């Protein structure tokens, strides 16, 4: 079992930045593949970024170079640095983990509870 806890969500103005964190605990050997997702009210959950333990990274097209995913394996923590935020980035952001590669597909086995990001214009 893997337990994920997100933090760092906040309300910011357009153009601002936030850094989300996701602390993993438990059987972290089962979290070799991790990702960030977001889901707004009435919308489907969509992949934002994913990363493997070997550093392979993927981003959704809408990121457009504004976000950076990273991880600190020693701390079992996943990060998402978000810059140049737009109102349309407002959403609940979730981190996810799995022992299999899932890239940006919402098929991960383990999920956190989410952290809210609100961007005002």
């Amino acid at each position: 079992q893997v337990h994920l806890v997100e933090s760092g969500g906040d309300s910011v103005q357009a153009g601002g930045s936030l850094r989300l964190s996701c602390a993993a605990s438990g059987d972290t050997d089962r979290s070799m593949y991790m990702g960030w997702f977001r889901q707004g009210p009435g919308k489907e959950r969509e992949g934002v970024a994913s990363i493997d333990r070997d550093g392979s990274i993927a981003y959704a097209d809408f990121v457009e170079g504004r976000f950076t995913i990273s991880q600190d394996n020693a701390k079992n923590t996943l990060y998402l640095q978000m810059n140049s935020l737009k109102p349309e980035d407002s959403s609940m952001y979730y981190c996810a983990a799995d022992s299999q590669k899932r890239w940006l597909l919402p098929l991960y086995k383990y999920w956190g509870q989410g952290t809210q990001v609100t961007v005002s214009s």
Side-chain angles (χ1 to χ4, degrees):
Q1 189 74 12
V2 177
H3 186 54
L4 303 172
V5 179
E6 303 96 334
S7 61
D10 204 345
S11 296
V12 296
Q13 291 192 329
S17 298
L18 284 174
R19 187 194 196 201
L20 306 183
S21 299
C22 172
S25 60
D27 190 0
T28 54
D29 285 344
R30 297 182 179 273
S31 60
M32 295 180 64
Y33 302 93
M34 299 191 74
W36 285 101
F37 290 77
R38 68 186 190 184
Q39 186 171 18
K43 297 183 178 180
E44 293 187 355
R45 189 166 296 189
E46 60 181 354
V48 178
S50 67
I51 188 169
D52 300 348
R53 284 293 175 96
D54 64 3
S56 298
I57 290 174
Y59 292 103
D61 290 343
F62 61 77
V63 169
E64 300 176 323
R66 301 178 296 127
F67 300 173
T68 302
I69 189 172
S70 62
Q71 60 187 5
D72 185 332
N73 292 332
K75 296 182 179 180
N76 290 319
T77 301
L78 179 72
Y79 302 100
L80 184 68
Q81 177 66 44
M82 304 189 295
N83 300 324
S84 302
L85 283 162
K86 305 175 182 179
E88 51 263 43
D89 293 319
S90 297
S91 191
M92 185 70 80
Y93 283 72
Y94 300 88
C95 76
D98 204 313
S99 58
Q100 300 184 51
K101 186 185 291 285
R102 303 297 187 186
W103 292 111
L104 299 178
L105 298 175
L107 303 176
Y108 288 72
K109 183 174 183 179
Y110 304 104
W111 293 85
Q113 293 300 306
T115 186
Q116 179 68 40
V117 172
T118 302
V119 185
S120 58
S121 57

